[in-house]
Amino acid sequence: MNDSAQPEAAATPALSISGVSHSYGTRRALADVSFDVPPASFTALLGLNGAGKSTLFSLITRLFGIQAGHIGIFGRDIGQAPGEALRLMGVVFQPRTLDLDLSVAQNLLYHAALHGIGRRDARARSDEVLARIGLADRAGSKVRDLSGGQMRRLEIARALLHRPRLLLLDEATVGLDVKARADILGHVRQLVAAQGISVLWATHLFDEIISDDNLVVLHQGRVLACGAAAEVLARAGAHDINSAFMRLTGLQSGSLAP
């Protein structure tokens, strides 16, 4: 990053959500949601299934139009300057969208072409992101021969091809075993530490959050708490994420699905 970009990165949130509400007919999915994702940070969006996480991601990525409120990506309003805003963002959605019959490298080159990246540059970028995500030795493998965790890492590599400054991941570890989940989390946290990428990580799993993270607790479409995870715990009078979540939502541990 050049020096002229540093003041902006220091002062402007990577993602700013302000007063966002959304309804499906008479059902309110989000109600006056507001929070920021600081630059070069790992921010966890914690909520049970149905809390509104996927709806919020659909609004940020413009799959849905914004009914109320504003969303900005590094100061670019996605309603007023959608192209410029979306170019700053990479996304990994919960459903997998890889072509299983193409190789790892072919999946990346196809995605690069969709972004208008020339073939020579695309090959260089593909090599770069595969090395960054630990898949350089699988470039020629068909995607169907990868493990579930490797497929997720490939989707992260694909989302990084156009060199975004903000990475959104919606329940990226669903269906993975404990080791694969830890591996994905480790890679994403390393992107934040080493590359300065900003991350919004949506999850319903308490153990994916650590005290150094920024934390947003979303429940029934409303933000119940946000800030440094350690501070959220302190304000809730809790010693761990699980207990803090229960106190904030008023739920009992037995009311959660296993």
Side-chain angles (χ1 to χ4, degrees), residues 174-196:
V174 164
L176 302 181
D177 61 32
V178 173
K179 183 181 182 304
R181 284 175 51 208
D183 184 46
I184 296 294
L185 269 167
H187 279 291
V188 173
R189 292 186 191 280
Q190 182 62 21
L191 290 173
V192 177
Q195 305 292 328

Side-chain angles (χ1 to χ4, degrees), residues 64-236:
F64 297 163
I66 298 176
Q67 297 174 352
H70 299 277
I71 298 175
I73 300 171
F74 286 101
R76 284 77 166 179
D77 189 293
I78 67 166
Q80 298 177 3
E84 187 177 357
L86 294 176
R87 278 193 293 271
L88 297 172
M89 178 174 57
V91 187
V92 178
F93 288 108
Q94 184 173 338
R96 294 197 177 110
T97 56
L98 298 166
D99 190 320
L100 300 181
D101 293 317
L102 295 181
S103 71
V104 167
Q106 287 169 334
N107 267 272
L108 293 180
L109 292 175
Y110 176 73
H111 188 73
L114 294 179
H115 276 275
I117 301 171
R119 193 165 184 83
R120 180 178 296 179
D121 190 19
R123 288 186 181 278
R125 293 191 187 199
S126 296
D127 291 344
E128 173 191 321
V129 295
L130 287 177
R132 191 187 302 180
I133 212 70
L135 285 177
D137 61 335
R138 301 304 301 268
S141 301
K142 283 197 173 183
V143 170
R144 67 172 60 257
D145 295 329
L146 302 181
S147 68
Q150 288 171 329
M151 287 185 188
R152 273 304 190 206
R153 282 155 57 191
L154 175 56
E155 288 184 307
I156 294 170
R158 185 180 60 180
L160 295 172
L161 265 182
H162 64 289
R163 295 173 179 161
R165 296 166 61 189
L166 170 67
L167 184 61
L168 308 182
L169 301 103
D170 186 11
E171 298 280 6
T173 61
V174 164
L176 302 181
D177 61 32
V178 173
K179 183 181 182 304
R181 284 175 51 208
D183 184 46
I184 296 294
L185 269 167
H187 279 291
V188 173
R189 292 186 191 280
Q190 182 62 21
L191 290 173
V192 177
Q195 305 292 328
I197 291 174
S198 308
V199 167
L200 180 62
W201 176 276
T203 184
H204 67 281
L205 300 170
F206 303 130
D207 64 352
E208 293 188 343
I209 301 164
I210 61 176
S211 60
D212 290 340
D213 293 338
N214 293 297
L215 176 62
V216 179
V217 178
L218 186 69
H219 185 63
Q220 296 180 347
R222 297 181 181 276
V223 172
L224 302 186
C226 60
E231 295 175 1
V232 172
L233 264 62
R235 290 197 297 268

Side-chain angles (χ1 to χ4, degrees), residues 1-63:
M1 184 181 296
N2 60 41
D3 291 340
S4 63
Q6 290 177 354
E8 178 195 16
T12 306
L15 174 67
S16 179
I17 310 290
S18 178
V20 169
S21 297
H22 192 83
S23 297
Y24 299 102
T26 59
R27 183 175 72 84
R28 178 64 63 91
L30 296 171
D32 196 26
V33 169
S34 298
F35 66 87
D36 290 341
V37 172
S41 72
F42 185 100
T43 297
L45 178 64
L46 176 64
L48 303 178
N49 294 333
K53 304 189 301 296
S54 292
T55 295
L56 184 59
F57 269 50
S58 294
L59 293 171
I60 297 169
T61 57
R62 287 186 59 82
L63 293 177

